[in-house]
Amino acid sequence: MASLSAADLGAVEWHKSSYSGGGESQCVEVADLSATRDSKIAVRDSKRAAGPVLLLSASAFDALVHLATAQAV
């Protein structure tokens, strides 16, 4: 499987996580690719915007968010 970078996705609209806070040390960005990539959600590190991208199905993304928020409490 070939790796995917943010540059490979073109001009998708990225959204910074509301849990990232005001600092830049731990920021995650997501992009909804449902119109372009078979209902996938892209996830990247905002500090490495041109770096690797994780593509998840909507259900896998929901599970990731659930696990992450459960650990944060």
Side-chain angles (χ1 to χ4, degrees):
M1 175 178 9
S3 62
L4 182 67
S5 73
D8 296 326
L9 297 176
V12 300
E13 189 173 347
W14 292 94
H15 301 277
K16 188 176 286 190
S17 167
S18 61
Y19 287 96
S20 292
E24 295 294 321
S25 62
Q26 297 181 8
C27 299
V28 173
E29 295 179 316
V30 298
D32 181 359
L33 306 177
S34 59
T36 60
R37 292 219 174 230
D38 304 321
S39 299
K40 299 290 184 191
I41 307 292
V43 181
R44 73 177 182 185
D45 180 348
S46 63
K47 296 179 301 305
R48 298 186 61 209
V53 173
L54 177 64
L55 289 179
L56 301 169
S57 68
S59 61
F61 180 75
D62 287 343
L64 175 67
V65 169
H66 176 75
L67 286 170
T69 55
Q71 296 298 318
V73 176

